[in-house]
Amino acid sequence: MAISNFVYDLRELKFVLKEWLDLEKLLALPPYQEYYGVDEIDPILETTFKIARDVIGPIAKDTDQIGARFIDGKVVTPDSFKKAYATINEAGLGASNADREAEGRLPYTIIQANMEMMSAVNLSFIAFWGLTTGAISVIQQHGSDYLKQKFLPNMISGKWSGTMNLTEAGAGSDVGANITKAFPTDTPGIYLIKGNKQFITTGDNDLVENIIHLVLARAEGAKDGVAGLSLFIVPKYWVEDDGRLSRLNDVICTNIEEKMGVHGQPTCSLSYGENDKCLGYLIGDPPDADGKASGIAQMFTMMNEERLNVSLQGLGSSTEAYLKAREYAKLRVQGTRFTDPKGPKVRIIEHEDIRRMLMVQKATTEALRALILKSCYYLDLSHDSEDPEERNFAEGMFQISNPMCKAFATDMAWSLISDAIQIHGGYGFIKEYEVESLARDVKISSIWEGTNYIQALDLVGRKFTMSKGQVFKNWITDISTFIENNKGSVGFMQEFEIMNEALDDFLAIMQQIQKYGQEGRPQTMPIFATRILYAASILYCGRLILDQALLADSKLKTLGGNHFDAKFYTGKVASGCFYVKNVVPQIAFIRKVIQIGDTSAVDLDEECFG
Amino acid sequence: MAISNFVYDLRELKFVLKEWLDLEKLLALPPYQEYYGVDEIDPILETTFKIARDVIGPIAKDTDQIGARFIDGKVVTPDSFKKAYATINEAGLGASNADREAEGRLPYTIIQANMEMMSAVNLSFIAFWGLTTGAISVIQQHGSDYLKQKFLPNMISGKWSGTMNLTEAGAGSDVGANITKAFPTDTPGIYLIKGNKQFITTGDNDLVENIIHLVLARAEGAKDGVAGLSLFIVPKYWVEDDGRLSRLNDVICTNIEEKMGVHGQPTCSLSYGENDKCLGYLIGDPPDADGKASGIAQMFTMMNEERLNVSLQGLGSSTEAYLKAREYAKLRVQGTRFTDPKGPKVRIIEHEDIRRMLMVQKATTEALRALILKSCYYLDLSHDSEDPEERNFAEGMFQISNPMCKAFATDMAWSLISDAIQIHGGYGFIKEYEVESLARDVKISSIWEGTNYIQALDLVGRKFTMSKGQVFKNWITDISTFIENNKGSVGFMQEFEIMNEALDDFLAIMQQIQKYGQEGRPQTMPIFATRILYAASILYCGRLILDQALLADSKLKTLGGNHFDAKFYTGKVASGCFYVKNVVPQIAFIRKVIQIGDTSAVDLDEECFG
């Protein structure tokens, strides 16, 4: 079994959770006040770190090199998975966190900080409970008491796992094109399910006793498109009312995909009802008189949280890649310094371009972490705050940052991990160093749970216009107020000047897009949506990481340069300033391009592409 | 055996070679005039296309999924490789092109256009003759007549293959750290070789009868560092003077690497002289009285050409990915148009963001092709022109564009192929669609033959200052003259304005770096070298592809919109304008960042990285 070299940076995570985010305030709210104080955070993170390092890390090689296999019609996972899966559940790091009604539940912010580490060390493995988590949320929010009692306890304990069945061969991003059918039976609420699903992560596996599929299907008589879809609970084994598992429910895994990465995750093709014996429970009501059903709305209650999970895949993988590159660069001796060519050989961390790449990785991963964990924090407040106005504000801030988290973190991951590979030189390309696998694993994250283009349309088309633009206004005010309040900070004047220009640039982008709309050029919005999402994400990341830099700077001033934490805080100040000086000016480039307003990509006759 | 779906765009290649580059002029020069006219180009390209599609394409799946294996101490390639390798040699597409003394040899420009297609369809496979090519060049330029006669004929025919042995475990980018030793024997020119080499591509294989290793080693008494390295010819089997292969020459392949991609290429660890029986021929003279040797200089005679080959790996892979994405986007039906949400389902090529990504890929690959093939053209002129001034000018233009070709094409490939995967949605992530493998294969190209940072230092530190800056001046004049001469072109006024600003921005970057140097901040050069290389490449790509757009526009005007080629030319105009409007303004962002001049990455205490 391979030795894990997991070197996650708990100091950074603790800074974000305990020093930067106001977790004291959050933990003082009713769901948490009896159970957790800020002092409990360290042991929680440290336990997760150890489990990531000692339990999930050592199976990473099996995950990638043996992977999930399809043998004699069954999914077989590596032997090492079984014990690790059991440990995760025993440690309370599995699907149990999805139970939002449990006493003593953790806030999302802390759950996701844990999830970041587990995603980092083994992106495949988390799927075995990550999908269950989503399924639990849906059943808990929309299922009848009967269904909750029947399915939730064993899903929460990890004895059974859950899946999300949206995709079909002809229905990927276009969920409404689903053709799986549901026919009512004599028993109200129970339907015969018939159809084929594809790309179903952990759709079959040998870690659990039963698999609870949440399946989107169209009940007889329902309308076309997404509005006609209902959601069904379809267990692999039928569950009798006494809890006993009886017959196989005519759900067959017909194949698993050979993929670029996440080899440990079985990605299944599932056939439902080939022998007309597949039964499922309808969640909620049957389609109404107009044929409208509520499956999509039910599914979407957990979509934003799932997208947060995906953003953590981008963040976790990039961070792990960065830390591996940093450790490698500290050890590898190669060449002399550029400024001292006749001097001694040095470790490559002393070479300027290696430093540049490390700094890009350090600053960007920290900016993404700020973005994502702040977003989790808003999600918690939106659920738990006692002040309805605060709940509302936080909900808006969560909604607007959600597509940025998902798309920006996962797109950045691809280039950040490339830098980490580059730092390793030839060793980065060979499997033994386990950095190339991070790139292979993370590529899926820009595609699943809504492609990054869907995120961009969501941001620009929906989130920016939510509540008549109030959410957008709040978000801009958050940034402009931050700049206004801090622009005089000694040592950060240049950074705030750059931020101020960036905010102007971003507002100019929004005006320009509005102008194009008024001029009857609606296609400009989707053409530039991805670039607007980048500009928004960079701006907001700049705001958040500069905020962290200011905090670190004030800590430094209080503690003095000789304090044992001084290097850490100095590094935080550097990350903030580096991001603002090296990345944020990109917004001006995006502004320029949007003002040029080239729409040739869509104007061009398709045949001109060849 | 898998079916190849190679869909390379010969129309574009023919445009570049026959319409844009002045190949007529080149083919009228002495080495070619008796053998080729412009009319011969089409059949050459078409033959290569067919061989790429029908011979190399069908083994791509074997390449990736079986790959080169290490069995009982021997490298074993897939069975399908043997026949394909033979066909390549028979067709004259293999190492025979390296023979620069042969009558009727092809110009580099055409050889590399062929190489682009072969790289595109199977990046692994070309290594079996690509490295031989380099070895032939070195022997042909620096070997004695005895060595040439002994080794070249069988290498040129493809019966034997060649390798380049630079890298050792402790000597990657720092070639001078080589510790492999060479001890003189009683026979002048023959040395005992002792040491270990690593990452030796095709260091062992079962396609050929003998392998001719070119090995960098330090002869006894030679100085430390690169200056003390000599180059030796070390055959796997000793070659008797009658041509017979006799004993195994104590060169052992001890292992091959498990890699992210290029699985078909055996990447070997080689042990030389473990039993003190490994003999090699010194190329050229022994180290002089000061211990200076000429191995590195000999090796570097083919380095720029090898780097061109690597640039083609970036270009070929990106182009193949683009073409696969384009074909997929034309077929895949998903969702409705953004501007017609109640309309019919459309093929995804009708979605704005898919169009944006396709256009980025089309324009960028065409810009890279312009850059690389123009560079090959200059290389040909630098060898073949009868006018010494023109040779000199062309040599400078080749030298300055060489690091851009290598680094920019290979870095761009990583993001371009990501877009191609993204267009495929979930299918992009599974192996069956053979687009993810392009990303896995191409990652090595930013690392080998000099990392992209080495290219950036080469550009900014060496090439920009070559011949007292005359080369740089010629290169800038080429761009400024192009802008000056064409800025009034109807339909392109905005493009030339943008180019003009970009040139100003680039010159400002150079002034800024010079100023930093004068201010005693030499570390700014390596810190910003990569970004300067990007700015230079983008500027030059803009100049070249806009030149193509002007040419296409004039063809369009002559032929009229109903001509069968009108769509192609319209697409070329669109590519040029798109690149200038959407990519070129990035130079202003780089200027801004360099003027901010943040050096925190190197100033920061190493411990602050954690």
Side-chain angles (χ1 to χ4, degrees):
Chain A
M1 196 174 281
I3 295 159
S4 162
N5 57 354
F6 188 61
V7 284
Y8 229 70
D9 193 343
L10 283 184
R11 184 67 193 86
E12 155 74 4
L13 264 180
K14 288 176 185 174
F15 171 84
V16 175
L17 292 178
K18 290 167 57 187
E19 299 173 62
W20 182 58
L21 293 172
D22 191 354
L23 223 60
E24 225 155 304
K25 171 180 160 179
L26 184 64
L27 294 179
L29 294 174
Y32 314 112
Q33 61 191 194
E34 281 179 45
Y35 301 94
Y36 304 103
V38 171
D39 292 344
E40 264 82 12
I41 293 176
D42 282 7
I44 291 173
L45 293 178
E46 281 154 20
T47 302
T48 307
F49 173 82
K50 283 181 194 147
I51 287 179
R53 185 190 62 194
D54 302 334
V55 177
I56 318 183
I59 65 171
K61 269 219 158 87
D62 279 5
T63 306
D64 191 49
Q65 292 177 18
I66 303 176
R69 288 162 301 160
F70 191 63
I71 301 172
D72 296 335
K74 290 206 168 87
V75 171
V76 178
T77 62
D79 290 338
S80 56
F81 277 28
K82 280 81 178 177
K83 199 174 152 223
Y85 181 73
T87 308
I88 293 295
N89 284 314
E90 282 159 23
L93 291 173
S96 60
N97 281 313
D99 184 2
R100 305 308 293 165
E101 289 167 6
E103 292 284 312
R105 66 179 164 91
L106 284 168
Y108 273 115
T109 311
I110 297 175
I111 292 174
Q112 297 297 50
N114 285 333
M115 197 68 170
E116 184 196 323
M117 283 189 268
M118 295 191 287
S119 303
V121 72
N122 193 332
L123 208 156
S124 280
F125 197 60
I126 53 169
F128 290 103
W129 67 88
L131 278 297
T132 311
T133 298
I136 290 170
S137 292
V138 171
I139 297 175
Q140 199 160 53
Q141 285 182 60
H142 304 289
S144 63
D145 287 342
Y146 173 79
L147 294 175
K148 287 191 209 174
Q149 283 156 21
K150 186 157 215 159
F151 293 105
L152 288 183
N154 284 326
M155 292 174 78
I156 290 169
S157 74
K159 204 168 160 186
W160 300 347
S161 66
T163 70
M164 297 288 159
N165 282 244
L166 288 83
T167 304
E168 299 177 3
S173 291
D174 184 7
V175 179
N178 254 278
I179 56 172
T180 297
K181 290 271 181 313
F183 305 92
T185 64
D186 293 344
T187 316
I190 295 187
Y191 287 68
L192 260 177
I193 308 293
K194 210 168 162 62
N196 294 287
K197 294 286 179 176
Q198 197 186 24
F199 294 161
I200 307 305
T201 302
T202 70
D204 194 17
N205 72 78
D206 56 357
L207 298 178
V208 293
E209 293 174 13
N210 201 7
I211 299 174
I212 310 306
H213 301 290
L214 291 201
V215 181
L216 272 185
R218 203 176 308 280
E220 232 187 346
K223 39 189 307 178
D224 285 346
V226 283
L229 294 171
S230 295
L231 195 53
F232 297 87
I233 297 178
V234 184
K236 176 178 175 183
Y237 293 99
W238 193 250
V239 183
E240 300 296 336
D241 282 345
D242 59 7
R244 204 167 30 87
L245 301 184
S246 55
R247 64 176 187 89
L248 256 171
N249 187 27
D250 198 12
V251 186
I252 299 157
C253 176
T254 54
N255 193 22
I256 71 173
E257 304 292 345
E258 301 247 354
K259 308 187 299 293
M260 179 183 200
V262 291
H263 294 158
Q265 287 180 15
T267 304
C268 304
S269 297
L270 296 177
S271 158
Y272 288 90
E274 197 158 318
N275 304 304
D276 294 330
K277 284 179 180 163
C278 179
L279 296 179
Y281 294 97
L282 174 69
I283 300 178
D285 297 321
D288 66 14
D290 297 332
K292 276 175 104 171
S294 43
I296 273 291
Q298 293 162 350
M299 197 62 115
F300 263 80
T301 53
M302 40 68 66
M303 197 50 90
N304 284 329
E305 284 87 335
E306 287 294 318
R307 286 173 179 174
L308 266 185
N309 285 341
V310 177
S311 72
L312 290 166
Q313 294 163 9
L315 171 59
S317 304
S318 312
T319 305
E320 176 70 352
Y322 159 56
L323 296 171
K324 281 189 150 85
R326 186 190 71 186
E327 296 307 296
Y328 181 80
K330 283 183 190 171
L331 294 172
R332 172 79 172 168
V333 174
Q334 196 80 176
T336 56
R337 269 173 183 281
F338 178 84
T339 48
D340 183 18
K342 307 215 157 171
K345 308 267 177 184
V346 295
R347 296 159 310 129
I348 63 171
I349 197 169
E350 301 189 42
H351 293 317
E352 287 80 2
D353 199 58
I354 300 285
R355 276 295 182 99
R356 174 189 66 81
M357 288 191 278
L358 287 174
M359 202 66 198
V360 167
Q361 293 171 76
K362 179 182 191 297
T364 310
T365 53
E366 291 174 14
L368 293 173
R369 184 171 299 104
L371 172 68
I372 295 169
L373 289 183
K374 183 86 180 192
S375 182
C376 294
Y377 183 78
Y378 281 129
L379 178 62
D380 278 322
L381 282 187
S382 78
H383 288 163
D384 300 327
S385 169
E386 294 179 295
D387 172 1
E389 248 181 69
E390 185 173 54
R391 282 206 301 276
N392 190 41
F393 173 81
E395 166 76 14
M397 292 297 278
F398 168 70
Q399 290 283 351
I400 207 166
S401 51
N402 192 254
M404 297 188 219
C405 291
K406 196 283 183 184
F408 191 57
T410 58
D411 275 356
M412 285 304 99
W414 186 244
S415 94
L416 293 171
I417 298 173
S418 174
D419 276 350
I421 292 172
Q422 192 73 17
I423 288 174
H424 283 78
Y427 293 99
F429 193 65
I430 66 174
K431 293 200 172 176
E432 190 186 339
Y433 282 73
E434 291 186 59
V435 58
E436 58 84 34
S437 62
L438 294 166
R440 287 190 288 105
D441 285 351
V442 89
K443 191 74 229 86
I444 189 60
S445 65
S446 63
I447 298 168
W448 64 13
E449 300 296 350
T451 65
N452 285 357
Y453 177 44
I454 290 179
Q455 306 304 316
L457 289 181
D458 180 49
L459 180 71
V460 185
R462 276 192 65 234
K463 301 298 171 64
F464 279 174
T465 58
M466 254 176 108
S467 312
K468 295 183 185 155
Q470 187 58 47
V471 167
F472 178 75
K473 211 178 278 176
N474 290 348
W475 178 73
I476 288 289
T477 303
D478 174 85
I479 298 167
S480 60
T481 309
F482 169 72
I483 297 172
E484 201 49 47
N485 289 348
N486 295 287
K487 67 184 179 191
S489 307
V490 178
F492 296 88
M493 312 280 266
Q494 192 187 8
E495 284 75 6
F496 278 99
E497 251 172 59
I498 297 169
M499 282 301 296
N500 211 25
E501 282 171 36
L503 178 59
D504 284 351
D505 287 330
F506 184 76
L507 292 173
I509 290 171
M510 296 309 298
Q511 277 160 17
Q512 186 68 59
I513 287 294
Q514 206 169 12
K515 190 157 160 277
Y516 286 143
Q518 287 157 358
E519 291 168 0
R521 301 173 68 195
Q523 78 278 26
T524 50
M525 193 283 257
I527 287 178
F528 293 111
T530 298
R531 283 170 278 192
I532 297 172
L533 181 138
Y534 287 167
S537 304
I538 292 170
L539 178 69
Y540 194 39
C541 278
R543 176 253 180 271
L544 297 174
I545 197 171
L546 197 49
D547 189 30
Q548 292 190 347
L550 291 177
L551 174 61
D553 187 60
S554 80
K555 297 252 177 180
L556 254 183
K557 282 182 182 132
T558 312
L559 300 174
N562 294 323
H563 189 268
F564 68 90
D565 247 354
K567 301 279 188 201
F568 170 75
Y569 289 122
T570 306
K572 287 300 295 180
V573 172
S575 289
C577 297
F578 180 90
Y579 195 84
V580 172
K581 287 171 168 169
N582 291 273
V583 181
V584 169
Q586 207 178 327
I587 298 169
F589 159 53
I590 298 174
R591 172 189 179 165
K592 179 80 194 276
V593 167
I594 292 177
Q595 286 180 335
I596 292 171
D598 175 35
T599 56
S600 63
V602 298
D603 299 339
L604 192 64
D605 189 311
E606 185 183 317
E607 286 174 54
C608 298
F609 281 89
Chain B
M1 196 173 283
I3 296 157
S4 163
N5 55 354
F6 188 62
V7 284
Y8 230 71
D9 193 343
L10 283 184
R11 184 66 192 85
E12 155 72 5
L13 264 180
K14 289 176 185 173
F15 172 82
V16 175
L17 292 178
K18 291 167 53 186
E19 300 172 62
W20 183 58
L21 293 172
D22 191 353
L23 223 59
E24 225 155 305
K25 170 178 161 180
L26 184 65
L27 294 179
L29 293 174
Y32 314 113
Q33 60 192 194
E34 280 179 45
Y35 301 94
Y36 304 104
V38 172
D39 291 344
E40 264 83 9
I41 294 177
D42 282 7
I44 291 174
L45 293 177
E46 280 155 20
T47 302
T48 307
F49 173 83
K50 280 181 196 147
I51 287 180
R53 185 190 61 193
D54 301 336
V55 177
I56 319 183
I59 66 170
K61 268 220 160 83
D62 279 4
T63 306
D64 191 49
Q65 291 177 20
I66 301 175
R69 288 162 301 160
F70 190 63
I71 300 172
D72 298 334
K74 290 206 168 88
V75 170
V76 179
T77 62
D79 290 338
S80 55
F81 277 28
K82 280 84 179 171
K83 200 174 151 222
Y85 181 72
T87 308
I88 293 296
N89 285 314
E90 283 159 25
L93 292 172
S96 59
N97 282 312
D99 183 2
R100 306 308 291 164
E101 290 166 9
E103 292 284 312
R105 66 180 165 90
L106 284 168
Y108 274 115
T109 310
I110 296 176
I111 292 174
Q112 297 298 50
N114 285 335
M115 196 67 168
E116 182 195 325
M117 283 190 267
M118 295 192 287
S119 302
V121 73
N122 194 333
L123 206 155
S124 280
F125 197 60
I126 51 167
F128 291 104
W129 68 89
L131 278 297
T132 310
T133 298
I136 290 170
S137 292
V138 171
I139 297 174
Q140 198 158 54
Q141 286 183 60
H142 305 287
S144 63
D145 286 343
Y146 174 79
L147 294 175
K148 287 191 209 174
Q149 281 158 20
K150 185 157 214 158
F151 294 107
L152 289 182
N154 284 326
M155 292 173 78
I156 289 169
S157 74
K159 203 169 162 188
W160 300 348
S161 66
T163 70
M164 295 289 158
N165 283 243
L166 289 83
T167 303
E168 299 177 4
S173 292
D174 183 8
V175 179
N178 253 280
I179 56 172
T180 296
K181 292 270 183 308
F183 305 92
T185 63
D186 294 342
T187 315
I190 295 189
Y191 287 67
L192 260 177
I193 308 291
K194 207 167 164 62
N196 293 287
K197 294 285 179 177
Q198 198 185 24
F199 294 161
I200 306 306
T201 301
T202 69
D204 193 20
N205 72 77
D206 58 355
L207 297 180
V208 292
E209 293 174 14
N210 201 7
I211 300 174
I212 310 307
H213 301 290
L214 290 201
V215 181
L216 271 186
R218 202 177 307 281
E220 232 185 346
K223 39 188 309 175
D224 285 347
V226 282
L229 293 171
S230 295
L231 195 53
F232 297 86
I233 296 179
V234 184
K236 177 179 173 182
Y237 292 99
W238 194 252
V239 183
E240 300 297 336
D241 282 345
D242 60 4
R244 205 169 26 91
L245 301 185
S246 54
R247 66 176 184 89
L248 255 172
N249 187 26
D250 197 13
V251 186
I252 299 157
C253 176
T254 54
N255 194 23
I256 70 172
E257 305 291 346
E258 301 248 351
K259 307 186 299 296
M260 182 184 198
V262 290
H263 294 160
Q265 285 181 13
T267 305
C268 303
S269 298
L270 295 178
S271 158
Y272 288 90
E274 197 158 321
N275 304 304
D276 294 329
K277 287 181 179 161
C278 179
L279 296 178
Y281 294 95
L282 174 69
I283 301 179
D285 296 321
D288 66 14
D290 297 333
K292 275 174 105 172
S294 44
I296 273 291
Q298 292 163 349
M299 196 64 115
F300 263 80
T301 52
M302 42 66 69
M303 195 51 90
N304 284 329
E305 284 86 334
E306 285 296 317
R307 287 174 179 172
L308 264 186
N309 284 341
V310 177
S311 73
L312 290 166
Q313 294 164 10
L315 171 59
S317 304
S318 311
T319 305
E320 176 70 353
Y322 159 57
L323 296 171
K324 281 190 150 82
R326 185 190 74 185
E327 295 308 295
Y328 182 79
K330 283 183 189 170
L331 293 172
R332 173 76 171 169
V333 173
Q334 196 79 174
T336 56
R337 269 173 182 281
F338 178 84
T339 48
D340 183 17
K342 307 215 160 173
K345 307 269 176 183
V346 295
R347 295 159 310 127
I348 63 172
I349 199 170
E350 301 190 42
H351 294 316
E352 287 81 0
D353 200 57
I354 301 285
R355 275 295 182 99
R356 174 188 66 80
M357 290 190 278
L358 287 174
M359 202 67 199
V360 168
Q361 293 170 78
K362 178 182 192 298
T364 309
T365 53
E366 290 175 13
L368 293 173
R369 183 171 301 104
L371 172 68
I372 295 169
L373 291 183
K374 183 87 181 191
S375 182
C376 295
Y377 183 77
Y378 281 128
L379 178 61
D380 278 322
L381 282 188
S382 77
H383 288 164
D384 301 326
S385 170
E386 294 179 293
D387 172 1
E389 246 180 71
E390 183 172 56
R391 281 206 301 275
N392 190 41
F393 173 81
E395 165 75 14
M397 291 299 277
F398 168 69
Q399 290 283 350
I400 208 167
S401 52
N402 192 254
M404 299 188 218
C405 291
K406 196 282 184 182
F408 191 57
T410 59
D411 275 356
M412 284 304 100
W414 187 243
S415 95
L416 293 172
I417 298 173
S418 175
D419 276 351
I421 293 173
Q422 192 72 17
I423 288 173
H424 284 77
Y427 293 99
F429 194 64
I430 67 175
K431 293 199 172 177
E432 190 186 339
Y433 283 72
E434 292 186 60
V435 58
E436 59 83 37
S437 62
L438 295 166
R440 287 190 290 104
D441 286 351
V442 89
K443 191 77 226 82
I444 190 60
S445 65
S446 62
I447 299 169
W448 64 13
E449 301 295 350
T451 65
N452 284 357
Y453 177 43
I454 290 178
Q455 305 305 316
L457 289 182
D458 180 49
L459 179 71
V460 185
R462 278 191 64 234
K463 302 298 172 65
F464 280 174
T465 58
M466 255 174 107
S467 314
K468 298 185 184 156
Q470 188 57 47
V471 168
F472 179 75
K473 211 177 279 177
N474 289 350
W475 179 72
I476 288 288
T477 304
D478 174 85
I479 299 168
S480 61
T481 309
F482 169 72
I483 297 172
E484 201 48 45
N485 289 350
N486 295 288
K487 67 185 181 190
S489 307
V490 178
F492 296 88
M493 311 279 265
Q494 192 187 7
E495 284 75 7
F496 278 99
E497 250 172 60
I498 297 170
M499 282 301 295
N500 212 25
E501 283 170 38
L503 177 59
D504 284 349
D505 287 329
F506 184 75
L507 292 173
I509 289 172
M510 296 309 298
Q511 276 161 17
Q512 186 67 60
I513 286 294
Q514 206 168 13
K515 190 157 160 277
Y516 286 143
Q518 288 156 356
E519 291 168 1
R521 300 173 69 195
Q523 78 278 26
T524 49
M525 192 282 255
I527 287 179
F528 294 110
T530 298
R531 281 170 279 192
I532 297 172
L533 181 140
Y534 287 166
S537 305
I538 292 170
L539 178 68
Y540 194 40
C541 278
R543 176 255 182 270
L544 298 174
I545 197 171
L546 197 49
D547 188 33
Q548 292 190 347
L550 291 176
L551 173 62
D553 187 59
S554 81
K555 297 253 177 178
L556 255 182
K557 281 181 183 133
T558 312
L559 300 173
N562 293 324
H563 189 269
F564 67 90
D565 246 353
K567 301 279 185 199
F568 170 75
Y569 290 121
T570 306
K572 288 300 295 179
V573 172
S575 288
C577 298
F578 181 90
Y579 195 83
V580 171
K581 286 171 168 170
N582 291 272
V583 180
V584 169
Q586 208 179 323
I587 299 170
F589 159 52
I590 298 173
R591 170 189 182 166
K592 179 78 194 277
V593 167
I594 291 178
Q595 286 179 334
I596 292 172
D598 176 33
T599 57
S600 63
V602 296
D603 300 338
L604 193 63
D605 188 310
E606 184 183 320
E607 287 175 51
C608 298
F609 281 90

